[in-house]
Amino acid sequence: DDGVWHNRNLGSLGLGPNQVAEIVMQNNSTGAERLAGLRAPGSSINRRFDLHEAEAGGVDVVSLMVETDASSQVQVYAETVSNIDFYVVGYWSTSPGTWTELGGTSARSTPTAAWGVKNIASLGVPPNSVTQFVISNDALGAENTVGARAVGSGLDRFVDLQEAEAGGSDLVTMHAHVDSNTDVEWYSESGTSGVFFYPVGAWVLAP
């Protein structure tokens, strides 16, 4: 049904119980933005994103990691089921560590067009983790360069997100190392204007 969280079994796609998969959520509508979501069964996290309308000949997408339950199920959400598709693009048969699902909270970069160190302990991110971020550009009239990287990294690790369509967001998913102080570096061309950073999950790696 439209606008309802549903359990879906991924066993037929090769996933077993308690395995972490990467799933792409896709908006096919060329005329309207659409909400799409993904989370573990039983979760109360509002883990949904507003994918802006697809341009002619293309689609708008974002990927999330999610862990199956003991019955190989996950929960999916589509504002309009005829417009949203979900694609399993890979999964961990042997986990590299412990995965914690996060979501429903966001923060903003402080400096404008510069890398800045941000402490994200208050967002539930564990220290010494590899965290998955969804970064959104919500500006309706301008593209924005955004990025995430480890503290002290010298890499130009950013992408140029196009302008968002009315009512939606343009999104990218990135992983970045969070240090022992729960700090990470963020970049936003526009500072706090129109750009949001969502930690959506974290790996604490096995020794």
Side-chain angles (χ1 to χ4, degrees):
D1 296 330
D2 294 341
V4 178
W5 287 98
H6 286 284
N7 283 9
R8 293 302 301 267
N9 192 296
L10 303 184
S12 63
L13 302 178
L15 274 86
N18 308 118
Q19 290 186 321
V20 177
E22 182 175 19
I23 297 180
V24 172
M25 305 187 299
Q26 173 178 298
N27 180 20
N28 303 312
S29 173
T30 58
E33 78 284 355
R34 292 285 186 255
L35 284 168
L38 185 65
R39 67 186 185 186
S43 173
S44 61
I45 293 175
N46 186 25
R47 210 164 179 254
R48 303 180 303 171
F49 292 93
D50 201 11
L51 301 176
H52 74 62
E53 68 184 50
E55 299 297 334
V59 294
D60 199 57
V61 302
V62 69
S63 70
L64 293 176
M65 308 292 283
V66 65
E67 187 171 12
T68 61
D69 67 4
S71 301
S72 303
Q73 296 186 108
V74 298
Q75 281 196 336
V76 297
Y77 178 99
E79 180 180 357
T80 304
V81 295
S82 60
N83 294 144
I84 301 297
D85 292 322
F86 297 87
Y87 295 92
V88 177
V89 294
Y91 63 93
W92 292 99
S93 55
T94 302
S95 170
T98 301
W99 170 258
T100 299
E101 181 177 283
L102 304 168
T105 56
S106 67
R108 300 189 184 192
S109 178
T110 301
T112 298
W115 288 98
V117 176
K118 184 76 171 181
N119 185 276
I120 54 176
S122 65
L123 301 181
V125 177
N128 293 315
S129 62
V130 176
T131 297
Q132 183 181 41
F133 298 93
V134 172
I135 310 174
S136 76
N137 177 29
D138 291 1
L140 302 182
E143 46 72 39
N144 267 307
T145 301
V146 301
R149 69 184 187 185
V151 173
S153 171
L155 296 174
D156 289 334
R157 202 166 183 263
F158 42 64
V159 295
D160 195 12
L161 293 181
Q162 70 179 31
E163 67 182 37
E165 300 295 335
S169 305
D170 197 49
L171 305 165
V172 66
T173 305
M174 300 183 77
H175 283 79
H177 180 259
V178 175
D179 68 13
S180 59
N181 296 317
T182 324
D183 290 338
V184 70
E185 288 190 12
W186 288 353
Y187 183 99
S188 169
E189 180 183 357
S190 63
T192 59
S193 177
V195 173
F196 296 85
F197 293 79
Y198 298 86
V200 292
W203 288 102
V204 175
L205 303 182

